Amino acid sequence: MSVALSSKSGEFGDDSINLMAPAGRSKFGWIPQISGWCIGAAVCLGCLLLILILGVVAHNSSAIGHRDSMCENMIDSLTADRESLRAERDQLKDTSSNLTKEIEALQSQYKAVAASRDKLQEEVNTLNLTRARRECHQGWKAFGDKCYYFSTSGVTKSWALSRKDCLERGADLAIVTTREELDFVSKTYAVTWIGLSDKDREGKWVWVDGTELQGDEFWQDGEPNNSDGDEDCAEVSRSAKRFNDVPCSRRFSWACEL
């Protein structure tokens, strides 16, 4: 309802002024008019924003699902590897245990065989000693598992002729390889030829069987020295009980070995 007031008398009339605010205006000021295309644009923009948010969420969900799947596959693979390693470890333990048992069995067998070997060696040594003593010819002396012939007292010859005498007896000049044998051979005469020389090559001392002299502990101090320039044959003396090089032409007693 509207009320009109006369411009002159203040009375209400038909040509009065409308006190209601005109369209698009309020008592506080102008109200902007929003057109339809602005509303449509806002709706579209909101839809696009919603679609974008949903896409991001979907992408993140897919990525998380893919990552979870990868983690599960990795865990399954590691679990399978662990089980495989456990099985391999158990197999190695079994193999190690079996090998330990085999080693223990072999060690036991080795000890038994070694003991049997040592016993047989003792029996062989005894038999050799018995045989040597039993088979030594008259005039020969038994020592260890060998027989020795010492030249007649007072008879002396050069190294070469002494060896010739031994060879004619089916033997050869003595080959001395142990301290006990050295003591045995050297005690009969003051000086005795033995089967050692460096006639073929100076400084290379060789036994009559072709084997080289091993070590130098049986030489007298300072020997061999080849002081005369032709000391190519070895002798042993009762006093020194060690080897000494002298000229092969000297005449000594000799010891044969069989």
Side-chain angles (χ1 to χ4, degrees):
M1 184 178 74
S2 62
V3 179
L5 179 62
S6 174
S7 58
K8 292 182 179 180
S9 59
E11 296 178 353
F12 293 99
D14 292 335
D15 52 350
S16 63
I17 299 174
N18 191 355
L19 298 178
M20 294 295 294
R25 185 171 180 177
S26 68
K27 61 180 179 179
F28 300 104
W30 292 96
I31 297 175
Q33 299 294 319
I34 300 176
S35 62
W37 69 269
C38 291
I39 296 174
V43 172
C44 292
L45 182 60
C47 291
L48 290 175
L49 182 60
L50 180 60
I51 292 171
L52 179 60
I53 293 172
L54 292 176
V56 172
V57 171
H59 175 74
N60 290 339
S61 298
S62 176
I64 292 172
H66 180 66
R67 183 183 62 187
D68 292 342
S69 178
M70 289 181 61
C71 289
E72 290 178 358
N73 292 336
M74 185 178 296
I75 291 173
D76 292 340
S77 177
L78 290 174
T79 301
D81 291 344
R82 181 191 63 187
E83 296 301 326
S84 177
L85 289 173
R86 283 181 175 177
E88 186 175 353
R89 179 200 62 189
D90 294 339
Q91 184 177 2
L92 289 174
K93 283 184 177 180
D94 293 339
T95 302
S96 176
S97 178
N98 293 334
L99 288 175
T100 300
K101 292 179 181 179
E102 292 179 5
I103 290 173
E104 291 175 352
L106 288 174
Q107 288 178 339
S108 178
Q109 293 177 7
Y110 172 79
K111 291 179 180 179
V113 171
S116 177
R117 178 204 61 193
D118 294 340
K119 183 177 180 181
L120 287 174
Q121 187 62 51
E122 291 178 1
E123 293 177 356
V124 168
N125 293 339
T126 302
L127 289 173
N128 286 335
L129 181 59
T130 301
R131 183 191 66 181
R133 289 176 177 173
R134 183 177 62 249
E135 294 179 355
C136 286
H137 303 301
Q138 185 175 2
W140 291 68
K141 295 181 179 181
F143 182 80
D145 59 351
K146 300 176 183 178
C147 295
Y148 296 85
Y149 172 82
F150 293 91
S151 60
T152 304
S153 178
V155 178
T156 58
K157 293 183 179 181
S158 66
W159 187 90
L161 291 178
S162 296
R163 186 183 185 194
K164 181 175 181 293
D165 178 78
C166 291
L167 292 172
E168 290 174 351
R169 297 175 186 274
D172 210 333
L173 286 172
I175 298 174
V176 180
T177 58
T178 66
R179 168 59 62 183
E180 292 77 16
E181 188 178 13
L182 177 58
D183 292 343
F184 172 78
V185 171
S186 62
K187 69 181 181 180
T188 300
Y189 294 114
V191 180
T192 304
W193 283 124
I194 57 174
L196 181 66
S197 71
D198 67 344
K199 295 171 62 176
D200 295 333
R201 179 180 172 184
E202 180 62 33
K204 183 178 181 181
W205 291 88
V206 180
W207 295 104
V208 289
D209 66 353
T211 59
E212 292 187 30
L213 175 67
Q214 301 297 319
D216 57 0
E217 68 272 16
F218 289 163
W219 288 102
Q220 295 181 31
D221 293 340
E223 302 294 342
N225 58 10
N226 195 30
S227 61
D228 291 341
D230 62 347
E231 295 184 342
D232 297 328
C233 294
E235 50 86 358
V236 294
S237 64
R238 182 189 298 141
S239 58
K241 294 184 179 181
R242 288 179 177 271
F243 301 166
N244 179 41
D245 62 330
V246 295
C248 299
S249 59
R250 290 191 182 181
R251 300 172 64 89
F252 298 126
S253 300
W254 66 93
C256 303
E257 176 185 295
L258 179 62

